[in-house]
């Protein structure tokens, strides 16, 4: 038996006042569409597609940035959720069971999909709607039951006063027998308060329907406004803290801390205030991260201290200390036991074990060996205004204060560069490179006497 997933993402979301489609509005810096795609990937459908419409090109751009290939179907006019699913007819025709998800309900999760799928299979229903009981059902489709049996979904605008009071709502996630769905879609009409093709009418058309009531009411939540989006962010943020604390992560306070849903952190690690950790970041055990740090898409080992650090797309191995006020830019690898001090920027470089870069230094496009010591104020001049070049430094080299290394250039093992040198050619191992004018002394320099008199 094959399964397919259709994610609806064609809507505009006017009340969001955005220049992007609503599904690209972010919760914990991840578009709502991304949350839904991750849940779908977690389930592991045989095929997944996204129906795009309003500003489809922006959705396509986002899908491309995820580096996975997902089919998209264009809904050129916003004629309703039923019409949107029609656009994905090709997928519907090619599988046995179809799951439809809303791209604007980010909290649907893998677990709910798995349980509801099992329910759909064992109940023998042709359509199963995932529902939840919520306190404020306004705006959602209501679950209509007759003698307890689920028979229809009524949209807010079409509800009678009695139906309006129903608190069990449609999450917008459904399982369909693919054949029955294909037969029902052409039968949809626009005979409703919105004049749209409602996917929800398929329940009555197909008939043999079941409702899977989730015990997690959050799965239905969506946002229509920025206020609603903030609520989703706050909920998601607290959920992440809960998960991390269950994994043994410590917080003195959660003030100013934002951690993305996909971040993994080991036990006994302490996260300090004003720290933002996003993307596919993994942090090991017993670290201290923050205060005031911003970490995105990084892999960080155990026993690492990051104090006022900004880091992106970088790897930091065990026992490293960085900061305060340092930046790791993409493509950087910091090996075990390295110390990086204040006002250091490192880009696209590999820094060997136990090397120290203690102060005021820029290292770009560099490969640095083990046990190297950088004095204060060193610079790898990696860019000549047109091209970028690499600097290579051997193990245990000693780079004196204020050394400029004009790339491409190599410094051999155990070599030393004298403070203030500008190195333009290869320094052989074990040698000293001095590039410095001799100090001249001019006695009784008159200007300083004049200054004192003034
Ligand atoms: C829909 C359901 C409602 C349910 C709610 C849950 C219908 C008729 N109603 O209402 O029962 O409680 O979701 O969130 O389905 N979309 C398109 N093309 C369109 C219209 C919508 O792709 O022409 C997409 C939207 O981008 C969105 C999803 O479908 O991701 C849901 O559409 P939306 O207009 O938000 O439906 P709701 O009014 O929330
Ligand atoms: Ca919606």
């Amino acid at each position: 038996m094959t399964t397919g997933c259709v994610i609806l993402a064609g809507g505009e979301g006017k009340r969001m006042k955005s220049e992007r489609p609503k599904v690209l509005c972010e919760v914990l810096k991840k578009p709502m569409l991304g949350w839904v795609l991750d849940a779908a990937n977690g389930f592991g459908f045989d095929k997944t597609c996204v129906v795009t419409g309003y500003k489809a090109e922006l959705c396509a751009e986002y899908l491309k940035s995820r580096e996975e290939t997902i089919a998209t179907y264009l809904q050129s006019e916003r004629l309703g959720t039923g019409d949107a699913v029609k656009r994905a007819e090709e997928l519907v025709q090619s599988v046995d069971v179809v799951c439809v998800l809303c791209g604007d309900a980010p909290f649907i999760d893998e677990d709910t999909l798995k349980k509801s799928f099992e329910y759909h299979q064992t109940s023998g229903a042709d359509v199963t709607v995932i529902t939840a009981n919520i306190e404020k059902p306004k705006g959602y489709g209501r679950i209509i039951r007759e003698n307890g049996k689920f028979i229809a979904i009524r949209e807010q605008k079409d509800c009678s006063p009695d139906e309006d009071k129903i608190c069990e709502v449609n999450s917008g996630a459904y399982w369909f027998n693919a054949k029955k769905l294909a037969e029902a879609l052409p039968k949809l009409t626009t005979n409703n308060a919105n004049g749209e093709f409602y996917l929800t009418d398929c329940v009555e058309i197909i008939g043999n329907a079941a409702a899977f009531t989730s015990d997690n009411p959050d799965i239905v939540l969506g946002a229509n406004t920025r206020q609603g989006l903030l609520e989703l962010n706050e909920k998601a943020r607290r959920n992440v803290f809960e998960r991390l604390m269950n994994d043994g992560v410590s917080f003195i306070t959660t003030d100013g801390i934002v951690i993305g849903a996909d971040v993994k952190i080991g036990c006994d690690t302490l996260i300090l205030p004003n720290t933002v950790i996003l993307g596919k970041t993994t942090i090991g055990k017993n670290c201290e991260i923050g205060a005031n740090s911003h970490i995105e898409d990084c892999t960080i080992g155990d026993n690492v201290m990051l104090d006022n650090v900004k880091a992106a797309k970088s790897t930091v191995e065990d026992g490293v200390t960085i900061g305060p006020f340092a930046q790791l830019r993409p493509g950087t690898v910091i090996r075990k036991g390295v110390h990086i001090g204040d006002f250091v920027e490192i880009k696209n470089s590999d820094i060997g074990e136990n090397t120290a870069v203690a102060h005021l230094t820029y290292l770009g496009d560099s490969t640095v060996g083990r046990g190297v010591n950088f004095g204060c104020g060193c610079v790898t001049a990696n860019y000549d205004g047109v091209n970028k070049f690499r600097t290579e430094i051997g193990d245990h080299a000693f780079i004196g204060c204020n050394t400029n290394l004009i790339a491409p250039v190599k410094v051999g093992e155990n070599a030393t560069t004298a403070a203030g040198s500008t190195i333009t050619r290869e320094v052989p191992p074990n040698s000293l490179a001095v590039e410095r004018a001799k100090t001249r002394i001019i006695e009784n320099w008159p200007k300083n006497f004049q200054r004192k008199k003034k």
Side-chain angles (χ1 to χ4, degrees), residues 70-111:
I70 302 157
T72 57
Y73 296 103
L74 182 69
Q75 184 196 26
S76 39
E77 266 184 291
R78 248 58 65 215
L79 301 176
T81 48
D83 178 73
V85 175
K86 275 188 209 161
R87 303 305 123 214
E89 198 185 351
E90 192 180 41
L91 182 141
V92 174
Q93 303 280 7
S94 69
V95 294
D96 301 314
V97 179
V98 175
C99 174
V100 176
L101 300 174
C102 285
D104 67 344
F107 295 154
I108 187 74
D109 59 77
E110 179 186 330
D111 193 48

Coordinates of all heavy atoms in Angstrom, one line a residue, residues 70-111:
I70 N 10.7 18.2 -3.8 CA 9.3 18.0 -3.5 C 8.5 18.5 -4.7 O 8.8 19.6 -5.2 CB 8.8 18.9 -2.3 CG1 9.7 18.4 -1.1 CG2 7.3 18.7 -2.0 CD1 9.8 19.5 0.0
A71 N 7.5 17.7 -5.2 CA 6.7 18.2 -6.3 C 5.8 19.3 -5.9 O 5.4 19.4 -4.8 CB 5.9 17.0 -6.8
T72 N 5.6 20.3 -6.8 CA 4.7 21.4 -6.5 C 3.6 21.4 -7.6 O 3.9 21.1 -8.7 CB 5.3 22.7 -6.4 OG1 6.0 23.0 -7.6 CG2 6.3 22.8 -5.2
Y73 N 2.4 21.8 -7.2 CA 1.4 22.0 -8.2 C 0.8 23.4 -8.0 O 0.7 23.8 -6.8 CB 0.2 21.0 -8.0 CG 0.7 19.6 -8.3 CD1 1.0 18.7 -7.2 CD2 0.9 19.1 -9.6 CE1 1.4 17.4 -7.4 CE2 1.3 17.8 -9.8 CZ 1.6 17.0 -8.7 OH 2.1 15.7 -9.0
L74 N 0.6 24.1 -9.1 CA 0.2 25.5 -9.0 C -1.3 25.6 -9.0 O -2.0 25.1 -9.9 CB 0.8 26.3 -10.1 CG 0.5 27.8 -10.1 CD1 1.2 28.5 -8.9 CD2 0.9 28.5 -11.4
Q75 N -1.9 26.3 -8.0 CA -3.3 26.6 -8.0 C -3.4 28.1 -8.4 O -3.0 29.0 -7.6 CB -3.9 26.4 -6.6 CG -5.4 26.6 -6.6 CD -5.9 26.8 -5.2 OE1 -5.2 27.2 -4.3 NE2 -7.2 26.5 -5.0
S76 N -3.7 28.4 -9.7 CA -3.6 29.7 -10.2 C -4.6 30.7 -9.6 O -4.4 31.9 -9.5 CB -3.6 29.8 -11.7 OG -4.5 28.9 -12.2
E77 N -5.8 30.1 -9.2 CA -6.8 31.0 -8.6 C -7.2 30.4 -7.2 O -7.3 29.1 -7.1 CB -8.1 31.0 -9.4 CG -8.2 32.1 -10.4 CD -9.5 32.0 -11.1 OE1 -9.7 31.1 -11.9 OE2 -10.4 32.9 -10.8
R78 N -7.4 31.2 -6.2 CA -7.7 30.7 -4.9 C -9.2 30.4 -4.8 O -10.0 31.2 -4.4 CB -7.4 31.8 -3.8 CG -6.2 31.4 -2.9 CD -4.9 31.1 -3.6 NE -4.4 32.3 -4.3 CZ -3.8 32.3 -5.4 NH1 -3.6 31.2 -6.1 NH2 -3.4 33.4 -6.0
L79 N -9.5 29.1 -5.2 CA -11.0 28.8 -5.3 C -11.4 27.9 -4.1 O -12.5 27.3 -4.1 CB -11.3 28.1 -6.6 CG -11.0 28.9 -7.8 CD1 -11.2 28.1 -9.1 CD2 -11.8 30.2 -7.9
G80 N -10.5 27.7 -3.1 CA -10.8 26.9 -1.9 C -9.9 25.7 -1.8 O -9.2 25.3 -2.7
T81 N -10.0 25.1 -0.6 CA -9.2 24.0 -0.2 C -9.5 22.7 -1.1 O -8.6 22.0 -1.4 CB -9.3 23.6 1.3 OG1 -10.7 23.5 1.6 CG2 -8.6 24.6 2.1
G82 N -10.8 22.6 -1.5 CA -11.1 21.5 -2.3 C -10.5 21.6 -3.7 O -9.9 20.6 -4.3
D83 N -10.5 22.8 -4.2 CA -9.9 23.1 -5.5 C -8.4 22.9 -5.5 O -7.8 22.4 -6.4 CB -10.2 24.5 -6.0 CG -9.6 24.9 -7.3 OD1 -10.0 24.4 -8.3 OD2 -8.6 25.6 -7.3
A84 N -7.8 23.3 -4.3 CA -6.4 23.1 -4.2 C -6.0 21.6 -4.3 O -5.0 21.3 -4.9 CB -5.9 23.7 -2.8
V85 N -6.8 20.8 -3.6 CA -6.4 19.3 -3.7 C -6.6 18.8 -5.1 O -5.8 18.0 -5.6 CB -7.3 18.5 -2.7 CG1 -7.0 17.0 -2.8 CG2 -6.9 19.0 -1.3
K86 N -7.6 19.4 -5.9 CA -7.7 19.0 -7.3 C -6.5 19.2 -8.1 O -6.1 18.4 -9.0 CB -8.9 19.8 -7.9 CG -10.3 19.2 -7.7 CD -11.3 20.0 -8.6 CE -12.6 20.0 -7.9 NZ -13.5 21.1 -8.5
R87 N -5.7 20.2 -7.8 CA -4.5 20.5 -8.5 C -3.5 19.4 -8.3 O -2.6 19.3 -9.1 CB -3.8 21.9 -8.0 CG -4.7 23.1 -8.1 CD -5.3 23.4 -9.5 NE -6.7 23.4 -9.4 CZ -7.5 23.0 -10.4 NH1 -7.1 22.5 -11.5 NH2 -8.8 23.1 -10.2
A88 N -3.6 18.7 -7.2 CA -2.6 17.6 -6.9 C -3.2 16.2 -7.4 O -2.8 15.2 -6.9 CB -2.3 17.6 -5.5
E89 N -4.1 16.3 -8.4 CA -4.7 15.1 -8.9 C -3.7 14.0 -9.3 O -3.9 12.8 -9.0 CB -5.6 15.5 -10.1 CG -6.6 14.4 -10.5 CD -7.3 14.8 -11.8 OE1 -7.1 16.0 -12.3 OE2 -8.1 14.0 -12.3
E90 N -2.6 14.4 -9.9 CA -1.6 13.5 -10.3 C -1.1 12.6 -9.2 O -1.0 11.4 -9.3 CB -0.4 14.3 -10.9 CG 0.6 13.5 -11.6 CD 1.7 14.3 -12.2 OE1 2.2 15.3 -11.5 OE2 2.1 14.1 -13.3
L91 N -0.9 13.2 -8.0 CA -0.4 12.5 -6.8 C -1.6 11.6 -6.3 O -1.4 10.4 -6.0 CB 0.1 13.4 -5.7 CG 0.6 12.7 -4.5 CD1 1.8 13.4 -3.9 CD2 -0.5 12.6 -3.4
V92 N -2.8 12.2 -6.3 CA -3.9 11.4 -5.8 C -4.1 10.1 -6.6 O -4.4 9.1 -6.0 CB -5.2 12.3 -5.8 CG1 -6.4 11.5 -5.4 CG2 -5.0 13.5 -4.8
Q93 N -4.0 10.2 -7.9 CA -4.2 9.1 -8.8 C -3.1 8.0 -8.6 O -3.3 6.9 -9.0 CB -4.1 9.5 -10.3 CG -5.1 10.6 -10.6 CD -6.5 10.0 -10.9 OE1 -6.8 8.9 -10.6 NE2 -7.4 10.9 -11.3
S94 N -2.0 8.4 -8.0 CA -0.8 7.5 -8.0 C -0.6 6.7 -6.7 O 0.4 6.0 -6.6 CB 0.4 8.2 -8.4 OG 0.8 9.1 -7.4
V95 N -1.4 6.9 -5.7 CA -1.2 6.3 -4.4 C -2.5 5.6 -3.9 O -3.6 5.9 -4.5 CB -0.7 7.2 -3.3 CG1 0.7 7.7 -3.7 CG2 -1.6 8.4 -3.1
D96 N -2.4 4.9 -2.8 CA -3.6 4.2 -2.3 C -4.3 5.1 -1.2 O -5.5 5.1 -1.1 CB -3.3 2.9 -1.7 CG -2.6 2.0 -2.7 OD1 -3.2 1.9 -3.8 OD2 -1.6 1.4 -2.4
V97 N -3.5 5.7 -0.4 CA -4.0 6.5 0.7 C -3.4 7.9 0.6 O -2.2 8.1 0.4 CB -3.6 5.9 2.1 CG1 -4.2 6.8 3.2 CG2 -4.2 4.5 2.2
V98 N -4.3 9.0 0.7 CA -3.8 10.4 0.7 C -4.0 11.1 2.0 O -5.1 11.0 2.6 CB -4.5 11.1 -0.4 CG1 -4.1 12.6 -0.4 CG2 -4.3 10.5 -1.8
C99 N -2.9 11.7 2.4 CA -3.1 12.6 3.6 C -3.0 14.0 3.1 O -2.2 14.4 2.4 CB -1.9 12.3 4.5 SG -1.8 13.4 6.0
V100 N -4.0 14.8 3.6 CA -4.0 16.3 3.2 C -3.6 17.0 4.5 O -4.2 16.8 5.5 CB -5.4 16.7 2.7 CG1 -5.3 18.2 2.4 CG2 -5.7 16.0 1.4
L101 N -2.7 17.9 4.4 CA -2.3 18.8 5.5 C -2.4 20.2 5.1 O -2.2 20.6 4.0 CB -0.8 18.4 5.9 CG -0.6 17.0 6.4 CD1 0.9 16.8 6.6 CD2 -1.4 16.6 7.6
C102 N -2.6 21.1 6.1 CA -2.6 22.6 5.9 C -1.2 23.1 6.2 O -0.7 22.9 7.3 CB -3.6 23.3 6.8 SG -5.3 23.0 6.3
G103 N -0.7 23.9 5.3 CA 0.6 24.5 5.5 C 0.6 25.6 6.5 O 1.7 26.1 6.9
D104 N -0.6 26.0 7.0 CA -0.6 27.0 8.0 C -1.0 26.5 9.4 O -1.4 27.3 10.3 CB -1.6 28.1 7.6 CG -3.0 27.7 7.6 OD1 -3.3 26.4 7.6 OD2 -3.9 28.5 7.5
A105 N -0.8 25.2 9.6 CA -1.0 24.6 11.0 C 0.2 23.9 11.4 O 0.4 22.7 11.1 CB -2.3 23.7 10.9
P106 N 1.2 24.6 11.9 CA 2.5 24.1 12.1 C 2.7 23.0 13.1 O 3.7 22.3 13.1 CB 3.4 25.3 12.5 CG 2.4 26.3 13.1 CD 1.1 26.0 12.4
F107 N 1.8 22.8 14.0 CA 2.0 21.9 15.1 C 1.5 20.5 14.9 O 1.6 19.6 15.8 CB 1.4 22.4 16.4 CG 2.1 23.7 16.9 CD1 1.4 24.6 17.7 CD2 3.4 24.0 16.5 CE1 2.0 25.8 18.1 CE2 4.0 25.2 17.0 CZ 3.3 26.1 17.8
I108 N 1.1 20.2 13.7 CA 0.8 18.8 13.4 C 2.1 18.0 13.5 O 3.1 18.6 13.1 CB 0.1 18.6 11.9 CG1 -0.3 17.2 11.7 CG2 1.1 19.1 10.9 CD1 -1.6 16.8 12.4
D109 N 2.1 16.8 14.1 CA 3.4 16.2 14.3 C 3.4 14.7 13.8 O 2.3 14.1 13.6 CB 3.8 16.3 15.8 CG 2.8 15.6 16.6 OD1 2.7 14.4 16.7 OD2 1.9 16.4 17.2
E110 N 4.5 14.2 13.7 CA 4.8 12.8 13.2 C 4.0 11.8 14.0 O 3.3 10.9 13.5 CB 6.3 12.6 13.4 CG 6.8 11.2 13.0 CD 8.2 11.1 13.3 OE1 9.0 12.1 13.3 OE2 8.6 9.9 13.6
D111 N 4.0 12.0 15.4 CA 3.3 11.1 16.2 C 1.8 11.0 15.9 O 1.2 10.0 15.8 CB 3.5 11.5 17.7 CG 3.1 10.5 18.7 OD1 3.5 9.3 18.5 OD2 2.4 10.8 19.7

